[in-house]
Amino acid sequence: MKTNSRNKMTLNIGPQHPSTHGVLRLLVELEGEKILKCTPHLGYLHRGLEKAAQNKLFGQYLPMVDRVDYLSGFFCSQAFLSTIEELSEIEIPKKAQYIRVLTMELNRIASHLLWFGTFLMDIGATGPIFYAFNLRNEILNIFEKITGARMMYNYYVCGGVRRDISNNILKEISDFTSHFNKKFKTLENIVTKNPVFLDRTTGLGVLNTRDAFDYSITGVNLRASGYNLDFRKEKPYLVYNELEFHTPVAFEGDCHSRYLLRVEEIKVSINLVNQCIDWLLTHSQENYSLNINPLNIKPKTGTAVSYTESPRGLIMCRLVTDGSEKPKRVKWRTPSFYAIQILEKLLPENTLADLTTIYGSLDVAISEADR
């Protein structure tokens, strides 16, 4: 902490801080309790995941992709594999596409539930996190039965998925979704219209559409500012163009709007999961993988770019290949990196007590910002 004058000081928040959702350092200049300037500093979780790809076979790099964003690993796997499949001119089986959408939407719910609990914890409410994590734990139990893992799945493979989902597991997922809305409604009733929560979030951290574009904000953080951009509809992939769903939008651009949209997205994802279950139960005998040997993956020379709508926004993977068994270049575009940059715009003129509320509302995962 550095004191500049009688009423001004420079304060380090992090990198070890429970409300920065990872090892992020925020250099904050204060005048009393008012924030004058905020400068984010990354680099404390850098793992060199882009450079590491150049020294590994495609099959060797695939397990590392889950770690790009360890809260939504399925989306990262889809982003990476779709570039390989594009360059290899592979069309994965329809059943594999439905399984990928099913698992990604369950992953979206799990990610939003974790955000829900930690966001309320950032504000000072300790109760909701237990409700949210209990619901999330039910999804992780399902993932464990499907993939054998609770967070780092390594389930998607080039040409499909690693193993089929049995009808018993599909029925278990159906039971979960049928009871989910009632359980989640209890959680909503605690929070959504709570007067303290409304006072802490309404009109705070307002992000207008122009600033969102300037800082390349995507996902819920952009849609809460009034611009409807969802890459599941803008650039449909897998079987999203065969599914019926809407993209919720708000116009206030504040912390409360971002909260409401994520709550609504959870309900949309439940609907998508149910549609996938209905299709999979009636097509249980179809093929789920092309059974491509991961050690023999050699996409043709070229460049491919993927667009994947993750829980935090747009994930892009750019793959450059030279015809060998290793990538020539892998570049990730992840949404949290841009959400962190917008803090320099959102935080000034607010109080120090509101910093974690604004930051928490953006749903940042440092793992994918720092890579």
Side-chain angles (χ1 to χ4, degrees):
M1 184 175 68
K2 179 182 177 182
T3 303
N4 298 325
S5 67
R6 181 167 183 170
N7 294 318
K8 293 183 180 180
M9 68 173 65
T10 301
L11 185 67
N12 276 303
I13 298 178
Q16 265 67 35
H17 191 285
S19 293
T20 55
H21 300 222
V23 277
L24 171 70
R25 174 183 171 224
L26 298 176
L27 190 62
V28 182
E29 295 181 17
L30 299 172
E31 183 175 18
E33 288 291 312
K34 186 174 73 173
I35 298 172
L36 301 178
K37 183 180 178 182
C38 175
T39 305
H41 290 273
L42 289 167
Y44 298 92
L45 195 59
H46 182 66
R47 294 159 291 161
L49 287 175
E50 293 176 351
K51 183 63 177 177
Q54 298 172 211
N55 301 315
K56 297 183 180 295
L57 303 176
F58 286 95
Q60 290 176 319
Y61 183 61
L62 188 56
M64 298 179 66
V65 171
D66 281 322
R67 278 82 172 164
V68 173
D69 179 359
Y70 45 66
L71 300 181
S72 50
F74 285 126
F75 298 89
C76 302
S77 295
Q78 166 60 24
F80 179 63
L81 284 170
S82 61
T83 60
I84 299 175
E85 290 159 355
E86 178 183 336
L87 289 174
S88 303
E89 298 179 348
I90 294 172
E91 183 177 353
I92 68 174
K94 181 64 71 70
K95 185 174 185 179
Q97 295 185 45
Y98 270 96
I99 290 175
R100 285 190 186 184
V101 171
L102 169 70
T103 50
M104 281 196 292
E105 293 305 322
L106 281 173
N107 202 177
R108 191 185 309 276
I109 298 167
S111 178
H112 282 343
L113 286 171
L114 184 143
W115 167 82
F116 192 112
T118 55
F119 177 52
L120 270 294
M121 182 76 81
D122 291 343
I123 295 175
T126 55
I129 194 169
F130 296 103
Y131 289 87
F133 270 58
N134 280 337
L135 279 174
R136 177 175 176 266
N137 192 58
E138 293 185 41
I139 298 176
L140 298 189
N141 289 338
I142 292 169
F143 286 159
E144 190 172 13
K145 292 180 180 179
I146 296 173
T147 71
R150 297 175 68 82
M151 286 185 70
M152 310 303 176
Y153 312 107
N154 193 23
Y155 177 60
Y156 299 171
V157 294
C158 185
V161 294
R162 195 170 297 279
R163 61 182 65 87
D164 200 359
I165 299 181
S166 69
N167 285 351
N168 288 336
I169 295 178
L170 289 175
K171 290 173 182 176
E172 183 177 337
I173 299 171
S174 182
D175 290 340
F176 165 76
T177 59
S178 64
H179 295 100
F180 179 86
N181 286 334
K182 182 178 179 181
K183 293 179 180 179
F184 189 61
K185 188 65 178 177
T186 301
L187 184 54
E188 279 190 87
N189 290 339
I190 296 173
V191 177
T192 303
K193 294 184 179 180
N194 184 296
V196 177
F197 177 71
L198 290 173
D199 286 344
R200 291 296 308 275
T201 57
T202 305
L204 182 68
V206 176
L207 173 61
N208 62 54
T209 309
R210 180 64 188 176
D211 286 339
F213 284 145
D214 288 345
Y215 281 81
S216 299
I217 301 299
T218 56
V220 170
N221 296 330
L222 175 62
R223 294 192 286 272
S225 299
Y227 193 85
N228 189 353
L229 179 62
D230 184 337
F231 283 86
R232 293 174 293 181
K233 290 183 175 291
E234 186 72 19
K235 289 182 176 290
Y237 51 94
L238 298 176
V239 291
Y240 277 110
N241 58 343
E242 300 180 12
L243 302 172
E244 295 182 5
F245 66 101
H246 73 282
T247 303
V249 182
F251 297 89
E252 292 79 8
D254 59 359
C255 295
H256 193 250
S257 295
R258 293 189 278 272
Y259 161 83
L260 290 176
L261 285 198
R262 288 193 177 91
V263 167
E264 188 62 26
E265 269 205 356
I266 288 173
K267 299 173 184 176
V268 171
S269 291
I270 286 289
N271 179 41
L272 285 169
V273 168
N274 286 330
Q275 292 181 58
C276 291
I277 291 172
D278 292 341
W279 191 94
L280 289 168
L281 286 173
T282 57
H283 297 78
S284 58
Q285 301 305 315
E286 293 198 14
N287 188 23
Y288 62 88
S289 178
L290 299 179
N291 295 319
I292 297 172
N293 188 333
L295 299 180
N296 294 336
I297 300 174
K298 290 185 180 181
K300 67 180 183 180
T301 302
T303 300
V305 179
S306 63
Y307 298 79
T308 306
E309 185 73 28
S310 82
R312 272 158 281 284
L314 174 63
I315 288 180
M316 295 174 64
C317 181
R318 181 176 183 267
L319 173 64
V320 181
T321 57
D322 55 8
S324 70
E325 69 279 4
K326 297 179 181 180
K328 183 179 180 181
R329 181 77 170 92
V330 173
K331 175 64 180 176
W332 291 96
R333 186 268 185 212
T334 51
S336 290
F337 178 81
Y338 301 92
I340 288 174
Q341 311 311 313
I342 199 70
L343 290 174
E344 66 180 15
K345 194 81 174 180
L346 295 184
L347 290 179
E349 302 303 317
N350 289 289
T351 65
L352 182 61
D354 290 328
L355 183 149
T356 54
T357 304
I358 296 171
Y359 175 68
S361 74
L362 297 173
D363 189 15
V364 169
I366 299 301
S367 64
E368 49 113 321
D370 216 356
R371 294 188 294 283

